[in-house]
Amino acid sequence: MTVESFVGAIEMLLTAETMIWLLAGVIIGIIVGGLPGLGPPLGMAIILPLTLPMEASSAIILLVGVYSGSMYGGSIAAVLINTPGVSSSAATMFDGYPMSKQGRAATALAISATASAIAGLFTITALILFSPGLIQMVLAVGTPERFLVAILGLAMITVVTKGSAAKGLLAGAAGLLVTTVGVAQPISLDRRYAESLYLYDGIDFVAVLIGLFAIAEMMKLAGQKGGIAEGDVEIDKAGIKEGVVTTLKHPVTVFKSANIGLIVGAIPGAGATVSNFVAYTEAVRSSKDPDSFGSGNEVGVIASEASNNGTVAGSLVPAISFGIPGSSSTAVLIGGLLMHGLRPGPSMFDPSGELQLTYTLLLALLVGNVVILIVGLSMVTRLSYLTKIDTNYIIPMVVVLSFLGTYALRGNPIDVLTIIVFGVIGFYMVRYNYSVIAFVLGVVLGDIAEGNLYTAMQLSDGSFMIFVNPFEYGRWLSLVLSILIVLLIFGPYVKQWWERHQSA
Amino acid sequence: MDQEHTALDAVSQRIRPVLATIADGGEKVLGERPTMEHVLLVLFLITGVYMYLGASEFAPAAQRFPQLMAGATVVFSVLLLARNYLTVVGPLAGALLGGYFAYVGGSAFVDTGDGLFYLISGVVLFVVAIVFRERFGAAVESFVAEPVQVMGGDDSQPKQTDEDADTTLEEEPESDADSTEERTADTSESKTDEEAESEDEGSAAMYVYEIDDPRGPIVTGALCTVYMLLTFSIGMLYATPIFVALWTLWVRMDVLKAVAMVVLSFMISQAFYDFVERDVARGWLTGWQPPTPADLLSVSPHTNLFPHAIELLQWGVLLG
């Protein structure tokens, strides 16, 4: 059945319609990623409502195309104007921009396209090869464990976010709180605050995502100077071949960075911003000439770009398996899945369910990376145009598309209010280092966590011991997950206390 | 996005003394200069309290999850708001929370035999918070204030305090008009920007950015709100070009480019009206639907321009 699903996925992928959406997604992604200040979650959030009239498979393929393309696109502004188009390309600036100043912009951009494509191809292939094992694992996980996995995803936020754990947990709790408005899905009970009919279906989480990623980002962009290329950057065609060859000469860096991206990407909340720096730091650490980094070392660009595209595959694992977003972009992707009636979880791996679509999505990403390579290399000399678009044109258009797209979701005026409220909240949350991804995780995981909690409570007649007493309920995995959650939340404090105790 | 002196600055000059008075009062209560972060926390706190109380009106099965999350939101908001008094507030909050859990768990245990878990954990928390109050306070302080991170930035860097940021701000010479304007208000906004930036530096695990002109986000937020109000009153079809026109005025865009932007935005909203959602032409609050371009241009005797003459006149007055 799994093989049949795979073959069916190939057939679905090879249709003209799918390929057109994939190509469109990648190109839109490259453009969105290349525009300073925009990025994958924003691009995907704006496009999300526009996919409403589309078929589910086409919509998801368009979204993953945007996701993948914008990961590469982010390097364009990083290399040409020393401003990362997306935060996941920040490390690309360190060596990409010096290369550009040395007149090697084409080489840097070609390295970026090649490393992104190879890393993407490698990690997606690995994911497809490991998918039978992953399928078994996901299908073996029961309701109590799915609740605990959701909580584990939230607990990880305290690990991967900088700053106080209380801020991360507050953001997560507030996100979960948002999902408690409206009819409680698992129990179909009314939860309308102030008895508002407009809140009957709750707060639309796609509108929340649009507010957090589009409106908040535009507010941020409106307060920033620069980001626009002042003069012409010379992009010499001759450097393209050099860039491809240079990347191919560093297979170890590419594969190591891709793996870092894959692993870090699977950690909820970490995302490409973290993997990008981890891979870059590792490249510096393992280099024979670490001092050359920061002044135009090609290996720095390879490491950074290979890792952020590797993250795409990694972040899809928890997203599709358990509905836990590995990054902001996968949160929007989950929004897309839910909007089109697809529920992340076991059904996405069930041969009689949506396994074919899951395979189509992975194969689309595989082909998408080839598209990145072709489009990226063939457009290298023209990419500088993207960096000359003034944010004064971008901001109103993004706001307009956000408003119209949000209203199109359900025709509910509350959604318009939602994007403004959460846009302002998101802006200040980021400003004061409250994890937006924790908030998003809460919003995305609310229904999943509550639904599974409710079912688990039914299984145990209302006893929380189902999570920690394997002798009575036979759920050892629940116990392991519970211990992991406790370790994640309290481990750092115990470690601190132990170190202080030792030094005293 | 840098603007020269605008009406916004005049407004900010006027409200500066009021803000300063509020900030002084807030500083006494909070132990630090109030910023937009405190506003955010108060918003979370009020929402949490409202939703906690509101959830008590739901059916029992629907209460548990929202109350749990609202409770967590309230507790974390209070801890963060009181971060300068945690050695006192921490044990107090712990004792109160423990007492509450013990009461809820005890009541449930007496009534139905359930609630033992709540009862025990409540009693334990209460006892720990009272008996080991100093250690408990220090632990809460560490939980709220100290960075706990295993990935990303460098924790060895000392965190810049509010005092440091204030000092930096005061010592900076006011070199030009822009820099003077950016200090708009000893107000919390510019101070907090500095603080937030200094906190943001050197981190890989979070989203890093700088704000050069604090007015940009404020104006964008305000224009979005105007856009929403227009949407609710006349519908998005016409609210969209008006919003874009206002934006182009704010950024002082060239007339030709501005007109092109307005036309483009109108084409987008028209496309939404034609292909996605007809309701975008209607104001939700007023129920009013201004004539669409199709109505205006129609040659049909039923929908031609003439019947809308009065509305058009109103429009003309409004735009004029």
Side-chain angles (χ1 to χ4, degrees):
Chain A
M1 284 291 275
T2 307
V3 177
E4 283 174 20
S5 301
F6 190 75
V7 173
I10 294 174
E11 285 172 4
M12 191 191 278
L13 180 73
L14 292 178
T15 59
E17 188 188 351
T18 309
M19 294 306 268
I20 287 169
W21 287 123
L22 178 63
L23 188 67
V26 172
I27 292 172
I28 292 170
I30 292 175
I31 293 169
V32 167
L35 293 170
L38 308 193
L42 187 149
M44 292 167 75
I46 296 172
I47 284 176
L48 194 54
L50 307 182
T51 66
L52 266 174
M54 294 166 64
E55 277 190 28
S57 56
S58 304
I60 302 306
I61 283 165
L62 178 70
L63 288 172
V64 294
V66 174
Y67 183 17
S68 193
S70 53
M71 281 292 180
Y72 160 67
S75 67
I76 298 166
V79 168
L80 297 180
I81 55 170
N82 206 26
T83 302
V86 296
S87 58
S88 55
S89 291
T92 307
M93 288 189 311
F94 299 156
D95 288 288
Y97 186 62
M99 284 179 74
S100 184
K101 287 183 88 175
Q102 293 159 11
R104 298 162 64 208
T107 309
L109 289 170
I111 286 175
S112 169
T114 315
S116 296
I118 294 175
L121 285 169
F122 168 70
T123 48
I124 295 292
T125 306
L127 194 57
I128 291 172
L129 289 176
F130 290 127
S131 63
L134 188 68
I135 291 167
Q136 294 301 319
M137 193 191 82
V138 172
L139 294 178
V141 170
T143 302
E145 290 81 18
R146 277 202 290 280
F147 168 72
L148 290 171
V149 168
I151 300 300
L152 186 72
L154 281 170
M156 281 192 178
I157 290 303
T158 59
V159 178
V160 295
T161 51
K162 171 104 176 168
S164 109
K167 285 185 175 181
L169 291 171
L170 171 62
L176 285 165
L177 193 59
V178 170
T179 66
T180 67
V181 179
V183 173
Q185 289 304 330
I187 39 185
S188 296
L189 287 174
D190 192 357
R191 270 187 196 157
R192 277 178 297 136
Y193 291 88
E195 298 190 352
S196 168
L197 269 179
Y198 292 102
L199 291 173
Y200 186 81
D201 288 328
I203 296 173
D204 191 289
F205 92 89
V206 175
V208 176
L209 295 178
I210 291 174
L212 290 174
F213 296 126
I215 302 298
E217 285 294 304
M218 291 307 101
M219 285 175 68
K220 182 198 90 181
L221 206 56
Q224 290 180 319
K225 285 178 192 168
I228 305 299
E230 284 168 4
D232 282 333
V233 181
E234 276 190 31
I235 301 180
D236 183 10
K237 248 184 180 175
I240 298 173
K241 191 180 168 191
E242 187 194 335
V244 176
V245 173
T246 306
T247 311
L248 295 176
K249 278 183 181 170
H250 293 88
V252 176
T253 307
V254 174
F255 291 124
K256 192 163 61 175
S257 306
N259 275 313
I260 288 172
L262 186 67
I263 294 164
V264 175
I267 301 171
T273 312
V274 176
S275 72
N276 186 240
F277 279 93
V278 175
Y280 184 82
T281 313
E282 171 55 24
V284 176
R285 189 199 63 78
S286 57
S287 171
K288 289 175 186 168
D289 182 19
D291 293 337
S292 64
F293 282 81
S295 54
N297 189 325
E298 302 97 333
V299 180
V301 181
I302 294 172
S304 171
E305 287 302 305
S307 67
N308 63 28
N309 267 57
T311 309
V312 174
S315 64
L316 286 176
V317 175
I320 300 176
S321 311
F322 302 107
I324 298 173
S327 62
S328 308
S329 310
T330 38
V332 184
L333 184 65
I334 290 172
L337 289 170
L338 293 173
M339 211 173 83
H340 287 279
L342 305 165
R343 200 157 184 83
S347 69
M348 294 298 288
F349 291 93
D350 188 350
S352 57
E354 306 296 342
L355 183 60
Q356 185 176 318
L357 178 67
T358 304
Y359 274 133
T360 310
L361 190 152
L362 296 178
L363 290 169
L365 272 172
L366 205 64
V367 178
N369 280 292
V370 178
V371 176
I372 286 175
L373 186 66
I374 297 167
V375 174
L377 292 180
S378 59
M379 288 171 62
V380 159
T381 52
R382 294 177 186 86
L383 291 176
S384 62
Y385 292 124
L386 287 179
T387 61
K388 290 174 190 162
I389 299 175
D390 196 329
T391 47
N392 284 343
Y393 305 131
I394 297 171
I395 293 169
M397 287 303 145
V398 169
V399 171
V400 162
L401 287 173
S402 301
F403 268 69
L404 288 164
T406 304
Y407 196 71
L409 285 172
R410 310 186 288 182
N412 188 341
I414 287 293
D415 294 340
V416 177
L417 184 63
T418 301
I419 62 167
I420 293 187
V421 169
F422 286 95
V424 175
I425 287 177
F427 174 75
Y428 284 110
M429 280 181 75
V430 178
R431 194 96 201 93
Y432 295 104
N433 200 16
Y434 288 77
S435 171
V436 168
I437 183 67
F439 190 84
V440 169
L441 261 168
V443 174
V444 173
L445 290 180
D447 281 343
I448 296 170
E450 189 182 10
N452 287 307
L453 173 67
Y454 183 73
T455 315
M457 290 291 102
Q458 282 185 323
L459 289 174
S460 66
D461 287 331
S463 171
F464 283 99
M465 298 310 280
I466 193 171
F467 301 119
V468 288
N469 187 353
F471 299 107
E472 190 179 343
Y473 296 95
R475 294 190 169 274
W476 288 92
L477 185 57
S478 287
L479 178 66
V480 172
L481 289 168
S482 299
I483 293 170
L484 268 175
I485 291 166
V486 173
L487 282 177
L488 270 172
I489 294 176
F490 297 107
Y493 299 101
V494 174
K495 191 180 157 209
Q496 269 180 11
W497 173 82
W498 180 250
E499 281 170 358
R500 279 182 200 159
H501 182 72
Q502 288 291 308
S503 59
Chain B
M1 192 162 304
D2 194 22
Q3 300 294 308
E4 288 168 21
H5 192 81
T6 64
L8 195 69
D9 297 315
V11 175
S12 83
Q13 293 278 353
R14 282 188 192 174
I15 60 171
R16 188 187 293 185
V18 182
L19 286 174
T21 310
I22 295 170
D24 290 341
E27 193 171 6
K28 285 176 189 162
V29 177
L30 296 166
E32 63 187 355
R33 200 81 178 156
T35 64
M36 283 306 289
E37 182 186 7
H38 297 100
V39 177
L40 186 69
L41 286 170
V42 169
L43 179 74
F44 280 137
L45 179 64
I46 292 171
T47 309
V49 170
Y50 173 75
M51 290 179 80
Y52 188 92
L53 297 174
S56 60
E57 291 173 13
F58 301 152
Q63 276 182 21
R64 184 188 287 181
F65 194 70
Q67 287 200 329
L68 200 65
M69 292 309 124
T73 305
V74 169
V75 169
F76 290 128
S77 303
V78 168
L79 290 179
L80 284 160
L81 278 168
R83 59 188 157 209
N84 292 311
Y85 308 103
L86 283 177
T87 46
V88 179
V89 173
L92 196 66
L96 281 173
L97 206 61
Y100 178 71
F101 280 160
Y103 169 73
V104 171
S107 306
F109 188 70
V110 169
D111 291 343
T112 61
D114 292 335
L116 196 61
F117 181 75
Y118 271 94
L119 178 63
I120 293 171
S121 46
V123 170
V124 169
L125 182 60
F126 184 82
V127 171
V128 168
I130 298 291
V131 178
F132 304 102
R133 55 185 172 278
E134 282 183 15
R135 281 192 193 176
F136 191 86
V140 173
E141 201 169 46
S142 156
F143 174 70
V144 172
E146 288 181 24
V148 177
Q149 187 189 17
V150 294
M151 298 176 75
D154 179 13
D155 288 341
S156 60
Q157 295 292 323
K159 209 172 169 183
Q160 193 174 11
T161 62
D162 293 356
E163 286 78 12
D164 294 337
D166 288 349
T167 314
T168 316
L169 202 70
E170 280 159 21
E171 284 173 359
E172 247 175 60
E174 295 186 18
S175 54
D176 54 40
D178 280 348
S179 66
T180 313
E181 281 173 15
E182 277 170 21
R183 266 164 203 55
T184 315
D186 290 326
T187 78
S188 20
E189 184 60 31
S190 55
K191 268 188 186 175
T192 51
D193 287 348
E194 296 281 338
E195 287 161 19
E197 278 156 25
S198 63
E199 276 181 24
D200 288 354
E201 281 167 12
S203 167
M206 59 187 192
Y207 201 93
V208 180
Y209 70 88
E210 292 177 3
I211 292 293
D212 304 305
D213 181 1
R215 292 170 304 170
I218 294 169
V219 171
T220 308
L223 286 179
C224 284
T225 308
V226 170
Y227 187 11
M228 180 187 72
L229 294 174
L230 283 171
T231 293
F232 289 167
S233 50
I234 61 169
M236 267 186 203
L237 185 64
Y238 290 108
T240 298
I242 294 174
F243 162 75
V244 174
L246 290 173
W247 172 266
T248 58
L249 281 174
W250 155 247
V251 297
R252 296 174 187 179
M253 200 177 279
D254 292 345
V255 176
L256 275 179
K257 288 176 182 171
V259 170
M261 289 284 287
V262 171
V263 170
L264 178 63
S265 68
F266 188 62
M267 284 164 66
I268 293 172
S269 63
Q270 178 69 43
F272 262 80
Y273 172 76
D274 285 336
F275 302 112
V276 184
E277 176 68 62
R278 305 291 281 188
D279 265 358
V280 297
R282 184 187 300 276
W284 165 58
L285 279 177
T286 59
W288 186 43
Q289 180 171 342
T292 64
D295 291 337
L296 296 172
L297 298 172
S298 172
V299 290
S300 155
H302 303 294
T303 53
N304 65 15
L305 209 59
F306 187 70
H308 298 294
I310 294 177
E311 286 167 311
L312 282 171
L313 191 63
Q314 287 172 339
W315 267 97
V317 172
L318 187 72
L319 291 173

